[in-house]
Amino acid sequence: MKVLIAVILTAWLSTAQILAFSQAPATARLSGTGRISGKIMKDATAPFDLATVALFNAQDSSLLKSTFTEQDGKFSFEQLPKGSYQLRISAMGYQNLQSAVVILQDHNSTVVLPALILLGATKDLKEVAITGKKAFIERKIDRTVVNVDALIANAGTTALDVLEKSPGVMVDQNGLISLKGKQGVAVFIDGKPSYLSGADLENYLKSMPSSSLDQIELMTNPPAKYDAAGKGGVINIKTRKSNQTGWNGGLNLGYTQGELPRSNNSFNMNFRKDKLNFFTNLSQNYQNNFTDLDLFRKYKNEDGSTKSFFEQNSYIRRKANTLNGKIGMDYYQSEKTTWGVVVTGMNRSGNQTTDNVSQLLNAGRGLDSVVKALSKEKESFKNLGFNLNYRHDFDKNGQQISMDADYLVYHTNNRQQIFNSSYLPDQSLKSQDILHGALPANIKIYSLKADYTKPLKNNWKIDAGLKSSYTKTDNVGDYSYTIGDITRPDYQKSNHFIYKENINSGYMNLSRESGKWSIQLGLRAENTNSDGHQLGNPLKPDSAFNRNYTSLFPTAYLSYKLDTLGNHQIGLNYGRRIDRPYFQDLNPFISPLDKFTYYEGNPFLNPSFTNSIELSHTFKNKVTTALSYSDTKDEVNETIEIRDGIYYSRPGNIGRKIVKSLSVNSGLDLFPWLSWQFYGELTNINAKSNDFYSGALHTKGTFFFTKSSFQFKIGETWTAECSGSYSSKITDVQFVIGEMYQFNAGLQKKLSPSSTIKINGNDLFYTKIVNGKINNLASVEAGWRNRSDSRNVVVSYSYRFGKTFSDLKKHKNTGAEAEQNRVKN
């Protein structure tokens, strides 16, 4: 019944929004053979991406249709009847531009306008009064673009919080990111992989202030130019960049107060003079969080009767200070040739304390014993990256070549102490021991890539590229335990694992936009060579493995406008992806969280392959309804086994996983003072495995997920916002996560054209508490409850300074593109 209601609700919301929006006055239908096209530029060499071009009837000034410029600055209006027209071009921060009257006649039905250049709105930023408003969501043929600043609730938060508020994105209690119900999402930063995954990716995204972000690109089926890694798709986080002359930048301050205080702050600056351009982005993040986790386990006899109970509470307190930095320089050798160098770095130091109390109860719930564990962990994480890039434009039509060389190094050093004490029911001490752990890890990544773009005849364009990367990881787990005054090595847990991997790839992409049709076809080939070596110790022998395989990854995108005005657009896309295991998941280390809970790697993991297809309908660029289907072979997923009362968490291959989804995404201006953003999703997950710990595994379930926000404009300088989200029960492989919802509210005051203050309240009713259970355990029932510092108030202040002259673009993409997503601590 709940599933049926959710289906009806999703379909009704889609239909209601379309019908409501269709009540707006419709422009006259166009029918003819005429065509007006052109190109919008920032200057003589830089095309203007996403400028708004509106077509008007020159006789009565009525709006006929509008469009956005593509990445090469080009636009076109097709199937126009004879008559006189006028174009009006606009973009935030630039002066509006109006063309001369264009006349289409029988002998002159195709007009190609000369390149038009948009000029900056003004020289001094303090004189700019920006009245335009970015849409929260923009759709392209191969991705959905989220404008971060369009949502007040994003102010003063982190990149992970921004992702959680993006349509179709879900972040679980462990920081695991999924897109439209699919896990295994590859996260990129400015077109470059984050080189992180797992806990390190979560901590990195928490350390990135939202004020440093510009856009989020969501790609369920990324084009062939992107590495094939990431079965759930690619999320590309675009940070703020300035392309203006002179000296300009911004300062953003954010303070959060929940049960514990924390802060996010950032500063960016750009200086351009003559042929040199310098830029930097610095951020500081102070994390101060807690997790209050309850675990429940019920052990059974072979006949199903109760054998015993296990109840545990873990209060985890985390503190960390993170510094992120990026500094770079571009040298414009000529109008056609640019050289660039970028240095990035991150330094995080922190500590974690876990106060753990475990109670072992008999079948009648009588107390058998109590185990108390105090875990203290100090962590250090350092990253340094170097990028050298080159770009050359052969002509002004878009023929271009770019090259990148990358070197990245990561170093972690975690030291752990676990003090274990066991007590009898009368609280008398039974035993005591201390476990010591030192876990240093080093990862080095080298990458070279080249990309080439060439426009062809009849609006066709071809992209091609080559890439080679090499990764080496070196992980040590050195454990010892102390009983009384005697300390001995723990060879059961100690280990030394070295892993090397080389990936060579090439791709070709062909695209065209003409009239009502848009098409893009791509093919990527990747060859992977890897080997792992587990060094032995007095109790464990050496072992090694190697794998070599080559795979092809096709992609296809098709878009068709059903009517001349483009009110109805149909989209179809397909892609094949690969999900290689995280480097550390291949590491056969055993890492204890306490005496009853262990994490264990799996060197026998195979890569998983996913085929995805999506059909969508977009109404007036405002409401998009999509049906998607993905089929994954050898899905890599967390698996749980309880053996001899010990809880083992390890990654494993699930034979097959099918995800089906129906989603609705819309952004509507209901009134001049009220706008509404809505996302609704109905997803079914079906997982099967013939070889599981407890025998065959087959789980399936359907869940409903929605996000919605209303934004109110109050006068010229005040804006208010309220938002919320809801997720029904989710069944995914072994895990069942209970329903969850939250409500947020925010207020924004524009103090001046260059400064803004915002205040947000998150999870105001403190309902974002995760409950769940674990299935397919042999003779065990298990569940959990997880509470965190989710109810808080955020105050943020932003200030911008400098000038707004348009300028040359900086190089954005680097070559090391997929390996960073697989670094996991």
Side-chain angles (χ1 to χ4, degrees):
M1 180 60 69
K2 289 184 178 180
V3 172
L4 179 61
I5 293 173
V7 172
I8 296 172
L9 178 61
T10 303
W12 177 82
L13 284 168
S14 175
T15 306
Q17 291 175 99
I18 292 175
L19 292 175
F21 195 78
S22 64
Q23 302 305 312
T27 56
R29 286 191 170 271
L30 301 179
S31 180
T33 60
R35 181 174 185 267
I36 298 176
S37 62
K39 189 173 185 179
I40 308 301
M41 307 288 290
K42 290 186 176 181
D43 55 32
T45 61
F48 205 121
D49 182 18
L50 285 177
T52 302
V53 184
L55 179 70
F56 289 84
N57 186 320
Q59 301 297 323
D60 57 11
S61 296
S62 60
L63 174 64
L64 300 176
K65 61 196 310 186
S66 62
T67 187
F68 292 104
T69 57
E70 298 299 325
Q71 289 184 345
D72 57 5
K74 292 182 179 179
F75 69 90
S76 66
F77 295 103
E78 312 282 344
Q79 297 181 321
L80 301 178
K82 293 185 296 182
S84 55
Y85 302 92
Q86 194 170 44
L87 300 177
R88 299 178 191 176
I89 302 97
S90 61
M92 184 175 293
Y94 290 82
Q95 297 179 24
N96 292 338
L97 181 64
Q98 184 170 295
S99 74
V101 174
V102 180
I103 300 177
L104 297 183
Q105 300 176 342
D106 290 334
H107 63 280
N108 185 31
S109 61
T110 301
V111 175
V112 180
L113 299 175
L116 302 173
I117 298 178
L118 284 182
L119 300 177
T122 182
K123 292 184 178 181
D124 194 340
L125 183 62
K126 67 183 181 181
E127 298 174 4
V128 176
I130 299 176
T131 58
K133 175 188 172 184
K134 281 187 178 181
F136 180 52
I137 302 296
E138 299 173 13
R139 284 192 61 87
K140 295 187 177 183
I141 188 173
D142 57 3
R143 69 197 66 189
T144 298
V145 180
V146 178
N147 290 305
V148 175
D149 277 352
L151 208 62
I152 295 176
N154 286 333
T157 60
T158 69
L160 192 66
D161 297 319
V162 173
L163 287 180
E164 196 170 9
K165 294 180 177 69
S166 299
V169 178
M170 296 184 70
V171 181
D172 70 9
Q173 71 270 22
N174 297 315
L176 188 65
I177 300 168
S178 61
L179 180 60
K180 289 192 174 180
K182 294 182 289 183
Q183 298 177 359
V185 178
V187 176
F188 283 59
I189 309 294
D190 291 325
K192 167 185 174 181
S194 57
Y195 282 95
L196 300 168
S197 57
D200 280 331
L201 176 60
E202 178 188 6
N203 289 328
Y204 179 70
L205 294 177
K206 284 181 177 179
S207 72
M208 289 184 68
S210 60
S211 56
S212 66
L213 311 184
D214 182 30
Q215 291 180 327
I216 305 291
E217 294 182 329
L218 309 174
M219 292 171 271
T220 53
N221 283 329
K225 184 175 182 178
Y226 283 83
D227 297 272
K231 68 178 183 293
V234 166
I235 295 177
N236 182 34
I237 300 174
K238 299 174 71 173
T239 60
R240 295 188 184 278
K241 292 180 176 66
S242 177
N243 295 321
Q244 291 113 28
T245 57
W247 182 59
N248 47 76
L251 173 68
N252 298 272
L253 305 174
Y255 175 80
T256 301
Q257 182 64 60
E259 293 187 35
L260 302 172
R262 45 195 177 270
S263 65
N264 279 289
N265 309 288
S266 69
F267 171 80
N268 65 83
M269 186 271 292
N270 191 91
F271 178 75
R272 166 75 194 281
K273 185 175 182 181
D274 300 326
K275 291 189 174 184
L276 291 177
N277 185 62
F278 298 91
F279 55 93
T280 185
N281 196 323
L282 305 173
S283 66
Q284 180 269 338
N285 168 265
Y286 172 63
Q287 296 182 40
N288 188 12
N289 301 295
F290 72 84
T291 296
D292 192 358
L293 176 64
D294 292 311
L295 300 178
F296 314 97
R297 299 171 195 166
K298 178 181 179 181
Y299 298 93
K300 299 179 180 179
N301 296 306
E302 291 184 2
D303 62 1
S305 61
T306 301
K307 180 179 181 181
S308 61
F309 295 92
F310 173 87
E311 297 179 355
Q312 183 184 79
N313 175 261
S314 297
Y315 184 83
I316 307 169
R317 179 74 181 273
R318 304 178 186 90
K319 289 185 179 181
N321 192 58
T322 306
L323 299 176
N324 280 304
K326 176 170 68 175
I327 185 169
M329 180 187 73
D330 291 317
Y331 171 65
Y332 304 107
Q333 180 180 337
S334 66
E335 288 187 355
K336 295 184 177 181
T337 303
T338 304
W339 296 85
V341 60
V342 182
V343 180
T344 58
M346 179 172 69
N347 188 336
R348 183 177 75 247
S349 60
N351 60 76
Q352 176 176 303
T353 301
T354 303
D355 193 357
N356 187 302
V357 178
S358 304
Q359 297 188 51
L360 285 73
L361 310 171
N362 59 32
R365 299 194 64 84
L367 183 64
D368 279 345
S369 62
V370 176
V371 177
K372 295 182 180 180
L374 178 63
S375 174
K376 296 182 178 180
E377 183 174 346
K378 290 186 177 181
E379 74 156 343
S380 170
F381 183 94
K382 297 179 181 179
N383 158 240
L384 189 63
F386 299 91
N387 167 257
L388 179 65
N389 58 77
Y390 167 82
R391 187 185 71 212
H392 177 74
D393 298 310
F394 293 97
D395 51 43
K396 295 184 178 180
N397 296 322
Q399 185 180 6
Q400 182 188 95
I401 188 171
S402 63
M403 300 180 184
D404 285 271
D406 284 273
Y407 169 70
L408 297 104
V409 59
Y410 293 85
H411 176 71
T412 64
N413 190 8
N414 292 351
R415 293 191 171 274
Q416 186 181 47
Q417 281 187 313
I418 302 178
F419 301 85
N420 294 300
S421 301
S422 298
Y423 298 88
L424 296 172
D426 61 3
Q427 297 300 310
S428 59
L429 183 63
K430 180 180 179 182
S431 64
Q432 238 176 7
D433 64 78
I434 304 174
L435 181 67
H436 310 269
L439 299 96
N442 292 282
I443 300 176
K444 294 182 179 180
I445 300 172
Y446 306 83
S447 176
L448 289 171
K449 83 160 187 171
D451 297 286
Y452 174 75
T453 300
K454 180 176 176 59
L456 304 175
K457 293 182 179 180
N458 300 320
N459 290 327
W460 285 98
K461 185 178 75 169
I462 188 170
D463 296 275
L466 297 171
K467 178 187 172 184
S468 181
S469 65
Y470 174 78
T471 301
K472 179 180 179 181
T473 73
D474 190 341
N475 305 269
V476 175
D478 187 7
Y479 285 97
S480 63
Y481 62 91
T482 301
I483 299 178
D485 296 328
I486 301 175
T487 299
R488 293 186 176 91
D490 188 345
Y491 293 119
Q492 289 291 345
K493 301 180 181 67
S494 296
N495 214 327
H496 188 180
F497 181 69
I498 298 174
Y499 179 78
K500 301 175 183 178
E501 182 181 81
N502 167 238
I503 301 175
N504 303 296
S505 60
Y507 75 91
M508 183 172 290
N509 201 73
L510 191 65
S511 60
R512 187 191 188 207
E513 277 200 47
S514 179
K516 293 184 177 181
W517 289 94
S518 296
I519 187 172
Q520 185 179 143
L521 302 172
L523 181 65
R524 186 178 187 91
E526 293 189 351
N527 167 256
T528 304
N529 307 281
S530 63
D531 66 80
H533 182 197
Q534 178 185 351
L535 280 68
N537 60 41
L539 289 183
K540 294 182 178 180
D542 274 18
S543 63
F545 68 89
N546 63 77
R547 294 192 181 95
N548 302 281
Y549 53 92
T550 300
S551 304
L552 296 177
F553 303 95
T555 55
Y557 308 86
L558 186 66
S559 176
Y560 179 70
K561 299 176 182 177
L562 296 176
D563 58 284
T564 306
L565 296 178
N567 287 336
H568 296 273
Q569 297 182 48
I570 297 295
L572 180 67
N573 66 68
Y574 163 79
R576 184 174 189 255
R577 310 286 296 168
I578 186 174
D579 196 28
R580 299 179 181 89
Y582 298 139
F583 298 132
Q584 271 79 348
D585 281 351
L586 295 168
N587 183 348
F589 281 17
I590 295 178
S591 177
L593 302 178
D594 56 63
K595 294 190 71 170
F596 303 98
T597 305
Y598 290 85
Y599 173 82
E600 188 175 36
N602 183 357
F604 303 106
L605 285 174
N606 292 315
S608 62
F609 293 88
T610 300
N611 289 281
S612 299
I613 188 168
E614 182 176 85
L615 175 67
S616 65
H617 170 263
T618 301
F619 179 71
K620 288 191 175 182
N621 289 318
K622 297 289 185 180
V623 182
T624 298
T625 305
L627 282 169
S628 64
Y629 174 90
S630 72
D631 190 344
T632 301
K633 180 183 178 182
D634 287 334
E635 159 94 3
V636 178
N637 207 91
E638 180 186 8
T639 64
I640 306 299
E641 180 188 19
I642 295 183
R643 188 173 69 248
D644 299 327
I646 306 299
Y647 180 105
Y648 293 92
S649 169
R650 64 174 70 91
N653 286 116
I654 305 300
R656 189 180 183 190
K657 186 175 180 180
I658 297 174
V659 179
K660 294 172 281 188
S661 178
L662 165 66
S663 63
V664 179
N665 190 9
S666 69
L668 302 177
D669 292 321
L670 303 178
F671 301 99
W673 50 271
L674 175 62
S675 61
W676 178 36
Q677 302 289 337
F678 172 82
Y679 177 82
E681 172 189 322
L682 191 68
T683 297
N684 175 267
I685 301 176
N686 191 336
K688 296 181 180 180
S689 181
N690 294 325
D691 185 16
F692 204 69
Y693 308 120
S694 57
L697 176 145
H698 185 192
T699 62
K700 57 183 177 179
T702 300
F703 71 90
F704 178 68
F705 172 62
T706 182
K707 299 176 182 178
S708 185
S709 68
F710 290 89
Q711 198 166 96
F712 308 84
K713 185 177 180 182
I714 308 170
E716 294 298 321
T717 60
W718 287 91
T719 307
E721 182 179 276
C722 63
S723 63
S725 65
Y726 170 78
S727 173
S728 65
K729 183 179 69 174
I730 300 174
T731 301
D732 189 0
V733 190
Q734 276 187 280
F735 301 93
V736 179
I737 302 172
E739 65 177 359
M740 186 169 51
Y741 57 96
Q742 63 174 315
F743 178 78
N744 318 301
L747 190 65
Q748 170 183 296
K749 167 65 175 176
K750 188 175 253 330
L751 303 176
S752 71
S754 59
S755 63
T756 304
I757 189 169
K758 302 178 183 180
I759 182 169
N760 303 301
N762 298 307
D763 193 17
L764 295 178
F765 301 113
Y766 209 7
T767 53
K768 191 180 177 183
I769 298 174
V770 183
N771 295 277
K773 63 180 182 177
I774 305 172
N775 292 323
N776 288 78
L777 297 172
S779 301
V780 179
E781 294 179 6
W784 78 90
R785 180 181 184 273
N786 193 353
R787 183 180 71 92
S788 63
D789 198 6
S790 59
R791 179 166 58 182
N792 53 66
V793 176
V794 183
V795 180
S796 65
Y797 172 78
S798 63
Y799 175 74
R800 295 173 296 147
F801 56 87
K803 299 182 179 181
T804 59
F805 287 113
S806 176
D807 202 17
L808 293 174
K809 291 183 178 179
K810 293 199 298 291
H811 182 83
K812 295 182 180 179
N813 300 326
T814 66
E817 293 184 346
E819 297 73 26
Q820 63 182 353
N821 292 301
R822 297 165 59 213
V823 178
K824 181 178 181 182
N825 186 23

